Amino acid sequence: MEVVQVLHMNEGDGKTSYTTNSSVQKQAMLKAKHMLEESITELCNSGSFPECIRMVDLGCSSGPNTLQLVKQTIETVNSICKRLNREIPTFQVFLNDLPGNDFNVIFRSLPSFYEQLDLCKDKCFIAAMPGSFYGRLFPDNFLHFVHSSYSLHWRSHVPEGLRTQSGSPLNKENIYISKTSPPSVREKYLDAFRKDFRLFLSSRSAEMVAGGLLFFTMVATDDSGGHRSTVWELIGITIHDMVLEGLIEESKLASFDLPYYAPTMEEVRQVAGEEGSFELQSHEAFRVAWDSSGYAAGIGNGHGCTRGKRVAMNIRAVGEPMLASHFGVEMMDGLFERFAAKMDEHLKLNDGLGVAIAISMTKK
Ligand code: SAH
């Protein structure tokens, strides 16, 4: 499976699109908002103010969150400028994602976005920069601010070594690390994360100016040990149920591994320390509810939609293109109906809270 070809969120702005079902990610951005504002304030206070701030949102996807981030950044910088009685800088904003991303959904909303912005239009220029952030995207010494929200848990490739020497899969009945996975599976995923994240940091290091700000949030794993189920583990269990029902072939499940890894805070800090180009400024871990999807579409609580269904809608918007390319488009309705029911059962006994981290670093 070539990740670049199959990893993209559901396009357009219909019922199952990412645009309609991205409120879990919005929730994470809101939780990290205060920390981002503090980091931008420090950036502005720390050195000379560029006349043109060049920034990028890495893994912008196709929903409303990316323009919300742009708005929030401009508002924060503007209020600092007003306070310091300085001229407001120009913003050159790049929206980055893999080439399969539906950038046009964002472009179509640009006219109304510019209208809402408390800034004259020739002060903010927005463009797309398609490509993988695991590698170079910009010239040397170019960016002042790099942002990424809820994207760095995606791997560039399926981890290597998830098969024994004889070719049998190590994580046969699962699609991601789960309770029944052998410990070596987690190690292979961690290896893949370490390689990717190192490449991410060295690429950004070349592209950013000294003192530039790198701020990101991502899905993470609790440092405190013990196994906590993830939504992907429950997707794997649902696919396994469909194998037992005779709907999906066992070999299809055995040959699918999710290109994803949610690291612990310590794992992130360790790779950053080893790579060495960035100085850690602040970091925070917080909980994000799995089921806030659906509010944006007006079909959340009070509209006859269960919590399980809301989780299913968010995960469908994120994972459907990738899962459909392997298991078949015709399996998707059945998979997400069963998953919603399983999630409702799970949420009777569990809090349905995932872990996320926000990290702020500056380029040395
Ligand atoms: N930041 C957005 C989107 C999060 S979804 C928000 O908060 O709503 C994660 C996005 O990361 C997806 O659109 C996915 O295509 C993108 N992504 C994953 N791996 C990527 C890579 N290697 N390079 C660029 N984008 C990537």
Side-chain angles (χ1 to χ4, degrees), residues 291 293-295 297-307 310:
D291 66 322
S293 171
Y295 289 111
I299 50 174
N301 261 345
H303 295 267
C305 192
T306 66
R307 287 180 72 195
R310 289 203 296 275

PDB file of all heavy atoms in Angstrom, residues 291 293-295 297-307 310:
ATOM      1  N   ASP A 291     -16.048  11.629  20.580  1.00  0.00           N
ATOM      2  CA  ASP A 291     -17.375  11.688  19.956  1.00  0.00           C
ATOM      3  C   ASP A 291     -17.890  13.095  19.681  1.00  0.00           C
ATOM      4  O   ASP A 291     -19.091  13.298  19.565  1.00  0.00           O
ATOM      5  CB  ASP A 291     -18.391  10.954  20.824  1.00  0.00           C
ATOM      6  CG  ASP A 291     -18.603  11.661  22.140  1.00  0.00           C
ATOM      7  OD1 ASP A 291     -17.620  12.180  22.692  1.00  0.00           O
ATOM      8  OD2 ASP A 291     -19.744  11.704  22.616  1.00  0.00           O
ATOM      9  N   SER A 293     -17.632  14.627  16.975  1.00  0.00           N
ATOM     10  CA  SER A 293     -18.030  14.727  15.565  1.00  0.00           C
ATOM     11  C   SER A 293     -19.544  14.785  15.443  1.00  0.00           C
ATOM     12  O   SER A 293     -20.259  14.136  16.187  1.00  0.00           O
ATOM     13  CB  SER A 293     -17.510  13.505  14.813  1.00  0.00           C
ATOM     14  OG  SER A 293     -18.034  13.475  13.539  1.00  0.00           O
ATOM     15  N   GLY A 294     -20.018  15.538  14.465  1.00  0.00           N
ATOM     16  CA  GLY A 294     -21.462  15.580  14.265  1.00  0.00           C
ATOM     17  C   GLY A 294     -22.071  16.877  14.740  1.00  0.00           C
ATOM     18  O   GLY A 294     -23.044  17.350  14.168  1.00  0.00           O
ATOM     19  N   TYR A 295     -21.469  17.488  15.765  1.00  0.00           N
ATOM     20  CA  TYR A 295     -22.005  18.776  16.227  1.00  0.00           C
ATOM     21  C   TYR A 295     -22.003  19.790  15.087  1.00  0.00           C
ATOM     22  O   TYR A 295     -22.944  20.535  14.896  1.00  0.00           O
ATOM     23  CB  TYR A 295     -21.187  19.338  17.393  1.00  0.00           C
ATOM     24  CG  TYR A 295     -21.364  18.569  18.664  1.00  0.00           C
ATOM     25  CD1 TYR A 295     -20.328  17.812  19.192  1.00  0.00           C
ATOM     26  CD2 TYR A 295     -22.587  18.573  19.333  1.00  0.00           C
ATOM     27  CE1 TYR A 295     -20.489  17.086  20.362  1.00  0.00           C
ATOM     28  CE2 TYR A 295     -22.755  17.844  20.502  1.00  0.00           C
ATOM     29  CZ  TYR A 295     -21.700  17.109  21.006  1.00  0.00           C
ATOM     30  OH  TYR A 295     -21.858  16.396  22.147  1.00  0.00           O
ATOM     31  N   ALA A 297     -22.269  19.366  11.988  1.00  0.00           N
ATOM     32  CA  ALA A 297     -23.303  19.126  10.981  1.00  0.00           C
ATOM     33  C   ALA A 297     -24.702  19.284  11.569  1.00  0.00           C
ATOM     34  O   ALA A 297     -25.690  19.089  10.870  1.00  0.00           O
ATOM     35  CB  ALA A 297     -23.123  17.719  10.435  1.00  0.00           C
ATOM     36  N   GLY A 298     -24.786  19.638  12.843  1.00  0.00           N
ATOM     37  CA  GLY A 298     -26.099  19.806  13.463  1.00  0.00           C
ATOM     38  C   GLY A 298     -26.809  18.486  13.704  1.00  0.00           C
ATOM     39  O   GLY A 298     -28.025  18.420  13.794  1.00  0.00           O
ATOM     40  N   ILE A 299     -26.042  17.397  13.759  1.00  0.00           N
ATOM     41  CA  ILE A 299     -26.696  16.115  13.994  1.00  0.00           C
ATOM     42  C   ILE A 299     -26.143  15.472  15.262  1.00  0.00           C
ATOM     43  O   ILE A 299     -26.154  14.274  15.423  1.00  0.00           O
ATOM     44  CB  ILE A 299     -26.509  15.157  12.798  1.00  0.00           C
ATOM     45  CG1 ILE A 299     -25.039  15.110  12.422  1.00  0.00           C
ATOM     46  CG2 ILE A 299     -27.366  15.549  11.629  1.00  0.00           C
ATOM     47  CD1 ILE A 299     -24.724  14.097  11.374  1.00  0.00           C
ATOM     48  N   GLY A 300     -25.651  16.292  16.143  1.00  0.00           N
ATOM     49  CA  GLY A 300     -25.069  15.779  17.383  1.00  0.00           C
ATOM     50  C   GLY A 300     -26.144  15.492  18.411  1.00  0.00           C
ATOM     51  O   GLY A 300     -27.282  15.167  18.074  1.00  0.00           O
ATOM     52  N   ASN A 301     -25.764  15.623  19.663  1.00  0.00           N
ATOM     53  CA  ASN A 301     -26.687  15.371  20.771  1.00  0.00           C
ATOM     54  C   ASN A 301     -28.038  16.026  20.554  1.00  0.00           C
ATOM     55  O   ASN A 301     -28.118  17.134  20.070  1.00  0.00           O
ATOM     56  CB  ASN A 301     -26.087  15.975  22.054  1.00  0.00           C
ATOM     57  CG  ASN A 301     -25.410  14.900  22.869  1.00  0.00           C
ATOM     58  OD1 ASN A 301     -25.647  13.720  22.617  1.00  0.00           O
ATOM     59  ND2 ASN A 301     -24.592  15.308  23.816  1.00  0.00           N
ATOM     60  N   GLY A 302     -29.102  15.343  20.937  1.00  0.00           N
ATOM     61  CA  GLY A 302     -30.429  15.950  20.819  1.00  0.00           C
ATOM     62  C   GLY A 302     -31.001  15.802  19.422  1.00  0.00           C
ATOM     63  O   GLY A 302     -32.123  16.202  19.154  1.00  0.00           O
ATOM     64  N   HIS A 303     -30.232  15.258  18.498  1.00  0.00           N
ATOM     65  CA  HIS A 303     -30.745  15.075  17.144  1.00  0.00           C
ATOM     66  C   HIS A 303     -30.812  13.587  16.799  1.00  0.00           C
ATOM     67  O   HIS A 303     -30.694  13.187  15.656  1.00  0.00           O
ATOM     68  CB  HIS A 303     -29.874  15.817  16.129  1.00  0.00           C
ATOM     69  CG  HIS A 303     -29.915  17.304  16.308  1.00  0.00           C
ATOM     70  ND1 HIS A 303     -30.787  18.111  15.624  1.00  0.00           N
ATOM     71  CD2 HIS A 303     -29.198  18.105  17.120  1.00  0.00           C
ATOM     72  CE1 HIS A 303     -30.591  19.370  16.012  1.00  0.00           C
ATOM     73  NE2 HIS A 303     -29.640  19.397  16.910  1.00  0.00           N
ATOM     74  N   GLY A 304     -30.932  12.762  17.816  1.00  0.00           N
ATOM     75  CA  GLY A 304     -31.125  11.338  17.596  1.00  0.00           C
ATOM     76  C   GLY A 304     -29.884  10.614  17.130  1.00  0.00           C
ATOM     77  O   GLY A 304     -29.977   9.559  16.508  1.00  0.00           O
ATOM     78  N   CYS A 305     -28.708  11.163  17.407  1.00  0.00           N
ATOM     79  CA  CYS A 305     -27.476  10.531  16.963  1.00  0.00           C
ATOM     80  C   CYS A 305     -26.714  10.043  18.191  1.00  0.00           C
ATOM     81  O   CYS A 305     -26.432  10.828  19.090  1.00  0.00           O
ATOM     82  CB  CYS A 305     -26.662  11.582  16.213  1.00  0.00           C
ATOM     83  SG  CYS A 305     -25.308  10.922  15.322  1.00  0.00           S
ATOM     84  N   THR A 306     -26.403   8.742  18.244  1.00  0.00           N
ATOM     85  CA  THR A 306     -25.730   8.233  19.442  1.00  0.00           C
ATOM     86  C   THR A 306     -24.261   8.664  19.455  1.00  0.00           C
ATOM     87  O   THR A 306     -23.715   9.040  18.423  1.00  0.00           O
ATOM     88  CB  THR A 306     -25.759   6.690  19.491  1.00  0.00           C
ATOM     89  OG1 THR A 306     -24.978   6.203  18.403  1.00  0.00           O
ATOM     90  CG2 THR A 306     -27.179   6.152  19.414  1.00  0.00           C
ATOM     91  N   ARG A 307     -23.636   8.539  20.629  1.00  0.00           N
ATOM     92  CA  ARG A 307     -22.207   8.882  20.721  1.00  0.00           C
ATOM     93  C   ARG A 307     -21.389   7.984  19.795  1.00  0.00           C
ATOM     94  O   ARG A 307     -20.476   8.433  19.124  1.00  0.00           O
ATOM     95  CB  ARG A 307     -21.713   8.694  22.164  1.00  0.00           C
ATOM     96  CG  ARG A 307     -22.208   9.751  23.116  1.00  0.00           C
ATOM     97  CD  ARG A 307     -21.667   9.480  24.521  1.00  0.00           C
ATOM     98  NE  ARG A 307     -20.223   9.771  24.622  1.00  0.00           N
ATOM     99  CZ  ARG A 307     -19.447   9.367  25.623  1.00  0.00           C
ATOM    100  NH1 ARG A 307     -19.951   8.648  26.612  1.00  0.00           N
ATOM    101  NH2 ARG A 307     -18.180   9.679  25.646  1.00  0.00           N
ATOM    102  N   ARG A 310     -21.483   9.153  16.331  1.00  0.00           N
ATOM    103  CA  ARG A 310     -20.656  10.353  16.102  1.00  0.00           C
ATOM    104  C   ARG A 310     -19.184   9.989  15.959  1.00  0.00           C
ATOM    105  O   ARG A 310     -18.484  10.525  15.105  1.00  0.00           O
ATOM    106  CB  ARG A 310     -20.846  11.364  17.242  1.00  0.00           C
ATOM    107  CG  ARG A 310     -22.203  12.044  17.221  1.00  0.00           C
ATOM    108  CD  ARG A 310     -22.147  13.372  17.955  1.00  0.00           C
ATOM    109  NE  ARG A 310     -21.844  13.212  19.365  1.00  0.00           N
ATOM    110  CZ  ARG A 310     -22.738  12.963  20.314  1.00  0.00           C
ATOM    111  NH1 ARG A 310     -24.015  12.841  19.987  1.00  0.00           N
ATOM    112  NH2 ARG A 310     -22.378  12.839  21.567  1.00  0.00           N
TER     113      ARG A 310
END
